[in-house]
Amino acid sequence: MSMKIFILAALVAAAVARPQEGHGHQHKHAYSSQSIQRHDVPAKAPPGHFEHYSHPKYEFEYQVKDPHTGDLKTQHESRDGDIVKGYYTLHEADGTTRIVHYSSDKKTGFNADVKREGHAIHAEPKHHH
């Protein structure tokens, strides 16, 4: 599962960071980065038996900064067994930044703390005469 998440994050970051073709003017370069660390612990099984379950443990993060499209986001997540913790930030179209800290475990399920920073910018309506 962690590898699927990493591959998805890498593909999204690569697609977003791709230079825009067909535009005659210069734009600032997009930036993306990804990092993953797997800390798999081999399963312990009695001799002669194969254990399908191993203790899942990983940590990953990614970041996208594209000034041309305004796509600004980061994510960091770690897992140790059944405990997952992480956060992500996302620059919203209205100029605010959404910040979400989340956790998940068997006892309490999934929990998220969502905050917004900044002031929303709303376009003025155009009047037609």
Side-chain angles (χ1 to χ4, degrees):
M1 176 73 160
S2 65
M3 189 54 80
K4 290 178 187 176
I5 293 170
F6 169 71
I7 291 170
L8 176 62
L11 289 174
V12 168
V16 171
R18 194 181 72 224
Q20 301 297 315
E21 297 177 17
H23 296 283
H25 46 295
Q26 294 289 331
H27 296 287
K28 293 182 181 179
H29 293 285
Y31 169 82
S32 69
S33 67
Q34 310 88 56
S35 171
I36 186 167
Q37 295 178 7
R38 293 181 59 180
H39 306 283
D40 293 337
V41 177
K44 292 184 169 79
H49 291 88
F50 179 74
E51 181 64 53
H52 293 279
Y53 175 80
S54 65
H55 183 85
K57 188 170 183 177
Y58 66 83
E59 184 170 340
F60 81 88
E61 62 184 340
Y62 75 93
Q63 178 176 359
V64 175
K65 290 184 180 180
D66 187 345
H68 174 68
T69 63
D71 190 11
L72 305 170
K73 56 187 156 204
T74 61
Q75 182 173 5
H76 179 270
E77 182 176 291
S78 62
R79 179 176 181 178
D80 190 356
D82 292 325
I83 300 171
V84 177
K85 295 179 182 180
Y87 71 87
Y88 70 88
T89 64
L90 174 67
H91 185 79
E92 300 278 13
D94 67 0
T96 59
T97 300
R98 181 185 340 160
I99 303 167
V100 179
H101 288 266
Y102 59 91
S103 63
S104 178
D105 60 44
K106 282 185 172 183
K107 193 178 222 181
T108 61
F110 180 81
N111 295 287
D113 178 30
V114 181
K115 295 182 180 173
R116 281 201 159 60
E117 287 185 353
H119 299 286
I121 301 168
H122 301 284
E124 292 293 322
K126 294 182 180 181
H127 299 287
H128 297 282
H129 297 281

XYZ file of all heavy atoms in Angstrom, residues 24-97:
605
model
N 4.525 31.268 -25.427
C 5.655 32.018 -25.933
C 6.391 32.817 -24.880
O 7.466 33.331 -25.139
N 5.865 32.968 -23.679
C 6.535 33.771 -22.670
C 7.135 32.885 -21.594
O 6.767 31.747 -21.422
C 5.589 34.823 -22.092
C 4.231 34.296 -21.737
N 3.351 33.816 -22.666
C 3.614 34.173 -20.538
C 2.243 33.416 -22.055
N 2.388 33.617 -20.784
N 8.089 33.447 -20.880
C 8.828 32.699 -19.867
C 8.015 32.604 -18.570
O 7.319 33.530 -18.201
C 10.159 33.401 -19.562
C 11.105 33.402 -20.728
C 11.659 32.011 -20.995
O 11.778 31.198 -20.096
N 11.973 31.742 -22.255
N 8.125 31.478 -17.898
C 7.485 31.270 -16.602
C 8.537 30.776 -15.627
O 9.535 30.194 -16.006
C 6.370 30.219 -16.702
C 5.247 30.631 -17.583
N 4.343 31.579 -17.219
C 4.907 30.227 -18.829
C 3.474 31.744 -18.195
N 3.793 30.929 -19.190
N 8.278 30.987 -14.362
C 9.158 30.416 -13.351
C 9.046 28.906 -13.419
O 8.016 28.359 -13.758
C 8.754 30.912 -11.960
C 8.993 32.390 -11.772
C 8.609 32.792 -10.367
C 8.817 34.281 -10.178
N 8.428 34.718 -8.851
N 10.128 28.228 -13.091
C 10.145 26.778 -13.179
C 9.378 26.146 -12.029
O 9.396 26.631 -10.913
C 11.588 26.268 -13.172
C 12.336 26.649 -14.403
N 12.127 26.042 -15.614
C 13.270 27.604 -14.622
C 12.901 26.593 -16.517
N 13.609 27.541 -15.945
N 8.721 25.050 -12.338
C 8.012 24.284 -11.326
C 9.023 23.420 -10.583
O 10.082 23.091 -11.096
C 6.948 23.411 -11.984
N 8.663 23.039 -9.369
C 9.549 22.247 -8.525
C 8.725 21.166 -7.850
O 7.625 21.417 -7.385
C 10.192 23.158 -7.476
C 10.915 22.411 -6.391
C 12.211 21.962 -6.596
C 10.306 22.151 -5.173
C 12.873 21.270 -5.614
C 10.972 21.459 -4.188
C 12.261 21.020 -4.413
O 12.920 20.331 -3.440
N 9.257 19.961 -7.828
C 8.611 18.902 -7.051
C 9.695 18.009 -6.474
O 10.791 17.897 -7.013
C 7.663 18.068 -7.914
O 8.381 17.306 -8.849
N 9.384 17.395 -5.347
C 10.318 16.455 -4.735
C 9.531 15.375 -4.018
O 8.403 15.600 -3.608
C 11.250 17.171 -3.754
O 10.519 17.653 -2.650
N 10.149 14.205 -3.919
C 9.531 13.092 -3.222
C 10.605 12.362 -2.434
O 11.761 12.359 -2.818
C 8.899 12.083 -4.193
C 7.988 12.665 -5.230
C 8.735 13.092 -6.464
O 9.409 12.304 -7.055
N 8.624 14.327 -6.864
N 10.190 11.745 -1.348
C 11.102 10.950 -0.537
C 10.295 9.853 0.140
O 9.195 10.102 0.612
C 11.763 11.838 0.520
O 12.492 11.058 1.432
N 10.839 8.655 0.149
C 10.181 7.562 0.866
C 11.249 6.719 1.541
O 12.325 6.518 0.997
C 9.312 6.690 -0.067
C 8.530 5.661 0.757
C 10.152 6.001 -1.113
C 7.426 4.980 0.004
N 10.946 6.302 2.744
C 11.833 5.413 3.491
C 10.989 4.256 3.995
O 10.025 4.471 4.718
C 12.469 6.136 4.672
C 13.383 7.253 4.270
C 13.945 7.965 5.489
O 13.755 7.561 6.624
N 14.647 9.048 5.233
N 11.348 3.062 3.589
C 10.645 1.877 4.067
C 11.455 1.273 5.197
O 12.667 1.175 5.127
C 10.468 0.876 2.944
C 9.531 1.391 1.872
C 9.339 0.387 0.790
N 8.784 -0.838 1.360
C 8.500 -1.899 0.641
N 8.701 -1.910 -0.649
N 8.013 -2.976 1.209
N 10.775 0.862 6.230
C 11.419 0.246 7.395
C 10.739 -1.087 7.668
O 10.248 -1.328 8.760
C 11.287 1.150 8.617
C 11.781 2.537 8.407
N 13.109 2.872 8.402
C 11.106 3.695 8.171
C 13.247 4.156 8.193
N 12.052 4.678 8.045
N 10.673 -1.934 6.650
C 9.987 -3.210 6.821
C 10.689 -4.068 7.858
O 11.910 -4.139 7.904
C 9.949 -3.988 5.507
C 9.081 -3.294 4.467
O 8.214 -2.508 4.869
O 9.278 -3.544 3.271
N 9.885 -4.686 8.665
C 10.403 -5.613 9.670
C 9.986 -7.009 9.218
O 8.805 -7.261 9.017
C 9.808 -5.293 11.063
C 10.293 -6.301 12.080
C 10.158 -3.873 11.465
N 10.919 -7.912 9.020
C 10.547 -9.253 8.558
C 9.570 -9.924 9.528
O 9.670 -9.753 10.736
C 11.870 -10.019 8.524
C 12.943 -8.985 8.581
C 12.350 -7.779 9.251
N 8.648 -10.663 8.950
C 7.679 -11.390 9.769
C 8.381 -12.535 10.485
O 9.288 -13.152 9.951
C 6.555 -11.923 8.893
N 7.949 -12.806 11.707
C 8.509 -13.910 12.478
C 7.504 -15.068 12.441
O 6.354 -14.912 12.803
C 8.773 -13.467 13.911
C 9.883 -12.444 14.008
C 10.179 -12.116 15.463
C 11.429 -11.327 15.615
N 11.500 -10.003 15.383
N 7.969 -16.173 11.970
C 7.112 -17.350 11.888
C 7.909 -18.562 12.356
O 9.134 -18.587 12.243
C 6.645 -17.563 10.445
N 7.216 -19.573 12.906
C 7.924 -20.794 13.320
C 8.600 -21.433 12.106
O 8.147 -21.251 10.979
C 6.812 -21.696 13.864
C 5.599 -20.859 13.981
C 5.794 -19.641 13.144
N 9.681 -22.151 12.309
C 10.362 -22.814 11.180
C 9.385 -23.671 10.384
O 8.541 -24.358 10.947
C 11.427 -23.672 11.853
C 11.646 -23.039 13.185
C 10.338 -22.415 13.576
N 9.482 -23.585 9.073
C 8.609 -24.370 8.204
C 7.292 -23.691 7.885
O 6.500 -24.209 7.115
N 7.020 -22.542 8.482
C 5.781 -21.805 8.209
C 6.115 -20.481 7.531
O 7.135 -19.873 7.812
C 5.016 -21.524 9.508
C 4.449 -22.740 10.132
N 5.170 -23.508 11.020
C 3.249 -23.345 9.993
C 4.436 -24.528 11.419
N 3.257 -24.452 10.810
N 5.205 -20.028 6.689
C 5.388 -18.736 6.025
C 4.370 -17.754 6.589
O 3.174 -18.030 6.604
C 5.197 -18.884 4.511
C 5.340 -17.583 3.782
C 6.586 -16.998 3.599
C 4.225 -16.928 3.290
C 6.727 -15.796 2.937
C 4.355 -15.718 2.621
C 5.612 -15.157 2.439
N 4.833 -16.631 7.051
C 3.959 -15.599 7.613
C 3.702 -14.551 6.528
O 4.638 -13.991 5.971
C 4.620 -14.956 8.830
C 3.793 -13.890 9.508
C 2.507 -14.426 10.111
O 2.572 -15.405 10.889
O 1.438 -13.879 9.809
N 2.435 -14.295 6.242
C 2.067 -13.322 5.208
C 2.084 -11.893 5.729
O 2.083 -10.952 4.958
C 0.671 -13.626 4.654
C 0.618 -14.902 3.898
N 1.032 -15.004 2.591
C 0.228 -16.141 4.265
C 0.889 -16.239 2.184
N 0.398 -16.967 3.186
N 2.093 -11.717 7.009
C 2.008 -10.382 7.597
C 3.367 -9.973 8.163
O 4.006 -10.733 8.865
C 0.960 -10.364 8.713
C 0.884 -9.054 9.447
C 0.201 -7.977 8.915
C 1.524 -8.885 10.668
C 0.145 -6.766 9.567
C 1.477 -7.676 11.336
C 0.779 -6.612 10.781
O 0.724 -5.412 11.436
N 3.784 -8.795 7.846
C 4.965 -8.234 8.487
C 4.563 -6.885 9.056
O 3.566 -6.286 8.634
C 6.126 -8.090 7.505
O 5.805 -7.151 6.513
N 5.314 -6.391 9.969
C 5.027 -5.123 10.628
C 5.258 -3.974 9.637
O 6.394 -3.702 9.276
C 5.934 -4.968 11.850
C 5.667 -3.731 12.640
N 4.695 -3.680 13.601
C 6.238 -2.501 12.596
C 4.691 -2.469 14.132
N 5.607 -1.738 13.537
N 4.180 -3.311 9.170
C 4.377 -2.225 8.201
C 4.960 -0.979 8.866
O 4.499 -0.559 9.927
C 2.971 -1.962 7.666
C 2.053 -2.447 8.733
C 2.783 -3.541 9.466
N 5.981 -0.439 8.244
C 6.606 0.765 8.777
C 7.204 1.537 7.610
O 8.003 1.005 6.854
C 7.687 0.403 9.795
C 8.237 1.605 10.533
C 9.120 1.161 11.684
C 9.596 2.383 12.458
N 10.389 2.018 13.613
N 6.779 2.799 7.456
C 7.309 3.622 6.386
C 7.177 5.095 6.740
O 6.492 5.462 7.689
C 6.595 3.349 5.052
C 5.144 3.758 5.035
C 4.758 5.077 4.787
C 4.143 2.824 5.263
C 3.427 5.450 4.773
C 2.809 3.189 5.256
C 2.458 4.507 5.001
O 1.139 4.868 4.993
N 7.797 5.904 5.927
C 7.699 7.352 6.049
C 7.876 7.921 4.649
O 8.770 7.487 3.917
C 8.795 7.875 6.979
C 8.703 9.354 7.240
C 9.654 9.796 8.343
O 10.103 8.954 9.141
O 9.953 10.992 8.372
N 6.999 8.838 4.237
C 7.183 9.464 2.938
C 6.777 10.927 3.012
O 6.055 11.357 3.897
C 6.418 8.733 1.831
C 4.951 9.062 1.747
C 4.504 10.135 0.991
C 4.020 8.289 2.404
C 3.157 10.439 0.913
C 2.672 8.570 2.327
C 2.231 9.661 1.575
N 7.267 11.677 2.041
C 6.864 13.066 1.914
C 7.014 13.480 0.456
O 7.768 12.875 -0.302
C 7.689 13.968 2.816
C 9.155 13.984 2.530
C 9.912 14.830 3.539
O 9.311 15.690 4.207
O 11.120 14.613 3.654
N 6.240 14.478 0.067
C 6.412 15.057 -1.251
C 6.025 16.523 -1.200
O 5.366 16.986 -0.277
C 5.647 14.296 -2.336
C 4.151 14.519 -2.350
C 3.596 15.513 -3.153
C 3.300 13.718 -1.613
C 2.222 15.706 -3.184
C 1.941 13.892 -1.641
C 1.400 14.897 -2.440
O 0.056 15.088 -2.468
N 6.439 17.230 -2.234
C 6.215 18.666 -2.280
C 6.113 19.078 -3.744
O 6.855 18.590 -4.590
C 7.393 19.359 -1.617
C 7.338 20.841 -1.612
C 8.526 21.427 -0.841
O 9.358 20.700 -0.320
N 8.608 22.706 -0.790
N 5.174 19.967 -4.039
C 5.029 20.521 -5.376
C 4.941 22.033 -5.236
O 4.173 22.547 -4.423
C 3.750 20.000 -6.081
C 3.552 20.687 -7.427
C 3.800 18.495 -6.236
N 5.746 22.751 -6.030
C 5.690 24.214 -6.074
C 5.710 24.622 -7.540
O 6.736 24.501 -8.199
C 6.883 24.841 -5.361
C 6.862 24.666 -3.872
C 8.022 25.391 -3.230
C 7.993 25.208 -1.727
N 9.099 25.886 -1.066
N 4.581 25.052 -8.053
C 4.491 25.484 -9.445
C 3.897 26.895 -9.479
O 2.682 27.068 -9.422
C 3.626 24.521 -10.243
C 3.626 24.822 -11.724
O 4.060 25.928 -12.120
O 3.194 23.959 -12.508
N 4.743 27.920 -9.570
C 4.245 29.293 -9.560
C 3.367 29.625 -10.770
O 2.504 30.482 -10.687
C 5.504 30.150 -9.557
C 6.662 29.249 -9.612
C 6.188 27.843 -9.623
N 3.560 28.931 -11.882
C 2.764 29.203 -13.088
C 1.289 28.843 -12.862
O 0.397 29.604 -13.218
C 3.327 28.420 -14.277
C 2.486 28.527 -15.506
N 2.343 29.710 -16.207
C 1.746 27.603 -16.159
C 1.548 29.501 -17.226
N 1.170 28.230 -17.222
N 1.045 27.681 -12.276
C -0.335 27.236 -12.060
C -0.850 27.573 -10.666
O -2.034 27.444 -10.399
C -0.450 25.712 -12.254
O 0.346 25.061 -11.261
C -0.012 25.300 -13.648
N 0.055 27.950 -9.768
C -0.347 28.204 -8.386
C -0.492 26.925 -7.582
O -1.035 26.940 -6.483
N -0.019 25.814 -8.109
C -0.121 24.525 -7.419
C 0.982 24.445 -6.369
O 2.146 24.277 -6.691
C 0.006 23.389 -8.430
C -0.339 22.035 -7.836
O -0.866 21.990 -6.707
O -0.090 21.019 -8.508
N 0.595 24.603 -5.118
C 1.533 24.566 -3.992
C 0.978 23.588 -2.969
O -0.105 23.800 -2.426
C 1.679 25.955 -3.360
C 2.073 27.095 -4.300
C 1.931 28.431 -3.595
C 3.501 26.898 -4.782
N 1.729 22.502 -2.711
C 1.248 21.527 -1.732
C 2.406 20.726 -1.178
O 3.448 20.591 -1.819
C 0.203 20.605 -2.336
C 0.641 19.866 -3.565
C -0.530 19.117 -4.161
C -0.301 18.877 -5.639
N -1.532 18.691 -6.349
N 2.207 20.212 0.024
C 3.179 19.344 0.672
C 2.413 18.234 1.389
O 1.241 18.402 1.732
C 4.039 20.081 1.718
O 3.171 20.597 2.740
C 4.822 21.225 1.108
N 3.076 17.119 1.600
C 2.493 16.057 2.413
C 3.614 15.278 3.079
O 4.677 15.078 2.488
C 1.637 15.091 1.595
C 1.006 14.029 2.496
C 0.021 13.131 1.787
O -0.163 13.216 0.586
N -0.614 12.265 2.551
N 3.358 14.859 4.300
C 4.277 13.996 5.042
C 3.417 12.976 5.775
O 2.389 13.321 6.360
C 5.096 14.805 6.052
C 6.021 13.939 6.837
N 5.657 13.349 8.023
C 7.286 13.543 6.597
C 6.668 12.630 8.478
N 7.674 12.729 7.631
N 3.820 11.706 5.717
C 3.068 10.652 6.398
C 4.036 9.595 6.900
O 5.045 9.313 6.258
C 2.061 10.004 5.441
C 1.214 8.929 6.106
C 0.164 8.380 5.171
O -0.775 9.122 4.833
O 0.292 7.203 4.764
N 3.700 9.030 8.060
C 4.489 7.918 8.590
C 3.527 6.865 9.133
O 2.419 7.164 9.544
C 5.443 8.388 9.694
O 4.713 8.910 10.781
N 3.990 5.638 9.077
C 3.202 4.521 9.598
C 4.118 3.618 10.390
O 5.241 3.319 9.975
C 2.568 3.720 8.460
C 1.757 2.539 8.963
C 1.062 1.816 7.859
N 0.288 0.701 8.409
C -0.459 -0.105 7.688
N -0.548 0.087 6.387
N -1.110 -1.085 8.262
N 3.612 3.180 11.537
C 4.314 2.210 12.369
C 3.258 1.220 12.847
O 2.489 1.514 13.767
C 5.012 2.897 13.534
C 5.947 1.972 14.302
O 5.999 0.768 13.972
O 6.627 2.456 15.213
N 3.196 0.080 12.184
C 2.148 -0.894 12.503
C 0.795 -0.368 12.068
O 0.610 0.011 10.920
N -0.144 -0.315 12.997
C -1.492 0.155 12.681
C -1.670 1.650 12.949
O -2.794 2.162 12.864
C -2.528 -0.627 13.491
C -2.598 -2.085 13.049
O -2.435 -2.336 11.837
O -2.801 -2.955 13.910
N -0.605 2.346 13.288
C -0.695 3.772 13.594
C -0.150 4.577 12.421
O 0.996 4.423 12.022
C 0.076 4.112 14.879
C -0.513 3.335 16.059
C 0.043 5.611 15.136
C 0.309 3.422 17.327
N -1.008 5.427 11.857
C -0.627 6.301 10.745
C -0.791 7.738 11.218
O -1.809 8.088 11.823
C -1.515 6.059 9.507
C -1.166 7.021 8.377
C -1.403 4.616 9.040
N 0.230 8.562 10.949
C 0.181 9.983 11.290
C 0.691 10.773 10.103
O 1.608 10.320 9.404
C 1.058 10.294 12.503
C 0.592 9.642 13.781
C 1.514 9.982 14.926
C 1.054 9.287 16.204
N 1.919 9.583 17.330
N 0.117 11.943 9.896
C 0.601 12.754 8.795
C -0.032 14.121 8.769
O -0.874 14.466 9.598
N 0.407 14.892 7.787
C -0.186 16.198 7.542
C -0.018 16.537 6.076
O 0.812 15.974 5.367
C 0.461 17.281 8.412
C 1.879 17.625 8.007
C 2.134 18.593 7.038
C 2.949 16.973 8.594
C 3.431 18.886 6.659
C 4.245 17.272 8.231
C 4.481 18.231 7.259
O 5.759 18.521 6.876
N -0.874 17.439 5.613
C -0.654 17.994 4.283
C -1.091 19.449 4.278
O -1.907 19.878 5.105
C -1.353 17.185 3.186
C -2.860 17.259 3.150
C -3.520 18.256 2.435
C -3.627 16.297 3.797
C -4.904 18.303 2.383
C -5.005 16.333 3.749
C -5.638 17.340 3.033
O -7.001 17.378 2.982
N -0.513 20.206 3.372
C -0.896 21.599 3.158
C -1.249 21.742 1.690
O -0.688 21.066 0.828
C 0.236 22.579 3.518
O 1.342 22.362 2.632
C 0.673 22.423 4.955
N -2.200 22.627 1.429
C -2.670 22.831 0.069
C -3.037 24.288 -0.107
O -3.817 24.838 0.688
C -3.889 21.945 -0.189
C -4.618 22.114 -1.507
C -3.727 21.659 -2.656
C -5.908 21.325 -1.494
N -2.479 24.927 -1.110
C -2.807 26.315 -1.429
C -4.124 26.310 -2.206
O -4.212 25.752 -3.292
C -1.689 26.943 -2.264
C -1.900 28.389 -2.535
N -1.629 29.362 -1.607
C -2.351 29.029 -3.631
C -1.912 30.542 -2.118
N -2.347 30.359 -3.349
N -5.162 26.910 -1.620
C -6.490 26.930 -2.231
C -6.584 28.036 -3.291
O -5.828 28.999 -3.269
C -7.562 27.178 -1.160
C -7.591 26.128 -0.072
C -8.374 24.885 -0.463
O -8.705 24.703 -1.645
O -8.642 24.082 0.441
N -7.539 27.903 -4.193
C -7.739 28.886 -5.264
C -8.102 30.271 -4.723
O -7.818 31.286 -5.366
C -8.830 28.396 -6.214
N -8.694 30.340 -3.532
C -9.085 31.639 -2.972
C -7.947 32.336 -2.234
O -8.134 33.384 -1.634
C -10.295 31.494 -2.049
C -10.011 30.703 -0.783
O -8.858 30.240 -0.596
O -10.938 30.538 0.027
N -6.745 31.754 -2.252
C -5.582 32.376 -1.615
C -5.294 31.882 -0.211
O -4.260 32.203 0.355
N -6.175 31.084 0.372
C -5.923 30.543 1.711
C -5.098 29.259 1.598
O -4.952 28.694 0.513
C -7.244 30.224 2.442
O -7.981 29.267 1.678
C -8.076 31.484 2.651
N -4.577 28.821 2.722
C -3.837 27.562 2.777
C -4.574 26.616 3.719
O -4.858 26.970 4.858
C -2.400 27.785 3.287
O -1.733 28.685 2.390
C -1.631 26.481 3.345
